[in-house]
Structures are given as C-alpha cells and as structure tokens.
Amino acid sequence: MFVGPMAAGKTSLGRRVAKDLGVQFVDSDVVFVRKHGAITDFFAANGEQEFRRIEEEIIAEELAQPGSRVLALGGGAVLSERTRELLKEHPTVLLMTTQEAVLRTANLARRPLLRDDPSAWGRILQERKPLYLEVADITFRTDRAGKDQLARRVVQWVRSYARREYLAAHPERQQQSQSRPERQARQGRERRQEREQHPERQARPGPENARAERTRSENTLGEDQS
C-alpha cells in the first residue's frame, strides 16, 4: 500500500512498482471517480465527510480482494480509524515530499483542499503525519531521488518484506534458506556451545588424533618385544 500527503507521487510511483512486481495497480481516488464522478464536484455537492465515508468503503473493498496488488490511497485516507486498522495487516509504504515540490508539480485544480489555499499543504501534513507514521512500515522521500531509482528501492523492500513474512510463517524453511557461509558460521557456534556444555567429550580423539594414538601404541609394543 502507498500512503502519504497529497501530490507525493503515490500514483506514478505505484504504477512503476506494480509493473516491476507484475501485479495489478489500483488507485482509490480513481475508483472513486469511476463510481461517483470528479472528487472536486463531489466535495462541493456532498462535503468532505461523505467523501471520506465512501472512500473508506472503497479501500476496505479493495483490501479484501484476493491476490497481490499495489494500492495507492488518497492523502486523507488515514483519517479513517477503520482504514488505519486494515492497513496494519498489509505492508505499507509512506511517501513523503516537501511543499515546495508539491506546488511546483501538482495540479492544484484537481485537489479541493488546496485549490483555494495552496499553502494549506504544510498545515494538513502536520495534522496527518502522526497517522501516516502509525500505519507505515517504511518511508521513502520522493523529492530526493528519481522515480526509477525509487521504484527499484521500493520493489527491493517489498520482496524482502514478503520473504521475511514467508519465513516467519514457515520456520522450517529458515535453515534451508541460509547461505553456505551462514550455515558454516551457525555450525561453528553450535560446536563451540557443545564443547562448553560437555567438556568431557573433548577427550575423544578425532581421526587425526586416533591415527597418532595407534602409531604410539605400535611403537611401544615394538619396544616391549625387543
């Protein structure tokens, strides 16, 4: 999932990441527009509260769909407690940027909360930031790297997250997944622990010591016979 302030790049980056992962991309705002028309018009006619109610339902429906997907949420989606609880069950990426970057690149006419007061972006971010941090598993800055570089980083993180979740659910695969150096290091630690716990076993000769012992015995036997 992608969360973050308005115009942080959730849609454009989400599309790239979904393509690289080979999964479907869904934008909750696009789903809303398809079902209810332009968000600015809906705001004017019905108000923000009704918009948030429908937005919450859309997100819940999308998260309930089977299979993997990348879902980008509107900037205010985290205002819903129900949505925040649902997001805790999914890997969630927070995208952050600056007001300067937003005002330089965003189409403010399509954003009802900024259209009449573009400087409100910073105030809105400060109000919502604790909620973003509450649901986010990791944060990326979209104003400090190109989209291709960011997409690679996010894809790498998603795959690493999925692997950790898989191994947590299948602990028997943990040992099988270890690399040879990791296995050797683990085996070395186990041998040291065994020696510390059972010092009497150290007297048992290994193959090299056994051969040396046999040689000493043969020499001693020869001396006795002479």
Side-chain angles (χ1 to χ4, degrees):
M1 310 302 129
F2 280 99
V3 299
M6 293 175 285
K10 298 182 293 292
T11 299
S12 58
L13 185 61
R15 285 199 181 101
R16 291 171 184 249
V17 170
K19 181 179 179 181
D20 290 344
L21 292 173
V23 299
Q24 181 183 5
F25 172 73
V26 178
D27 186 318
S28 63
D29 282 350
V30 172
V31 176
F32 184 97
V33 170
R34 187 169 64 243
K35 293 182 176 181
H36 302 281
I39 294 176
T40 50
D41 295 340
F42 190 94
F43 253 72
N46 302 282
E48 182 177 0
Q49 184 175 355
E50 180 63 9
F51 169 78
R52 297 300 175 196
R53 184 188 68 80
I54 297 175
E55 179 185 50
E56 179 184 274
E57 293 179 353
I58 289 173
I59 293 170
E61 291 172 359
E62 292 298 331
L63 291 177
Q65 295 297 319
S68 300
R69 59 179 53 198
V70 173
L71 176 62
L73 307 186
V78 294
L79 295 172
S80 162
E81 182 177 358
R82 179 188 178 194
T83 296
R84 295 198 303 275
E85 287 301 315
L86 290 174
L87 289 178
K88 292 176 182 178
E89 302 174 6
H90 301 272
T92 302
V93 175
L94 168 61
L95 299 183
M96 293 293 288
T97 186
T98 64
Q99 179 167 300
E100 291 74 18
V102 169
L103 297 181
R104 186 171 62 249
T105 61
N107 182 357
L108 300 182
R110 297 176 53 247
R111 303 180 184 278
L113 295 180
L114 299 181
R115 183 174 52 188
D116 298 327
D117 183 12
S119 64
W121 188 92
R123 173 179 53 80
I124 294 172
L125 172 61
Q126 291 307 311
E127 293 173 354
R128 297 174 179 177
K129 189 174 181 179
L131 303 180
Y132 292 141
L133 296 175
E134 176 185 333
V135 300
D137 293 295
I138 192 169
T139 300
F140 291 94
R141 293 290 300 262
T142 59
D143 60 319
R144 295 180 179 176
K147 287 186 173 60
D148 289 339
Q149 184 181 36
L150 277 172
R152 287 194 297 271
R153 292 177 180 175
V154 174
V155 167
Q156 183 180 21
W157 178 82
V158 170
R159 288 173 173 163
S160 177
Y161 180 96
R163 181 173 179 78
R164 290 196 302 271
E165 290 294 299
Y166 176 80
L167 291 176
H170 302 84
E172 71 280 2
R173 300 293 180 89
Q174 181 71 41
Q175 183 173 341
Q176 298 175 8
S177 68
Q178 290 180 324
S179 65
R180 183 176 179 181
E182 290 173 332
R183 288 197 302 271
Q184 291 174 337
R186 175 180 55 78
Q187 291 167 355
R189 289 193 299 271
E190 292 174 350
R191 287 194 294 269
R192 287 193 297 273
Q193 292 172 357
E194 178 72 12
R195 289 195 297 269
E196 293 171 358
Q197 295 172 3
H198 304 282
E200 72 282 359
R201 297 180 182 177
Q202 298 182 44
R204 297 180 180 180
E208 295 297 329
N209 292 334
R211 285 195 293 271
E213 184 65 27
R214 285 196 299 271
T215 300
R216 286 194 296 270
S217 298
E218 291 170 358
N219 291 340
T220 302
L221 179 61
E223 292 172 359
D224 292 343
Q225 291 176 341
S226 63

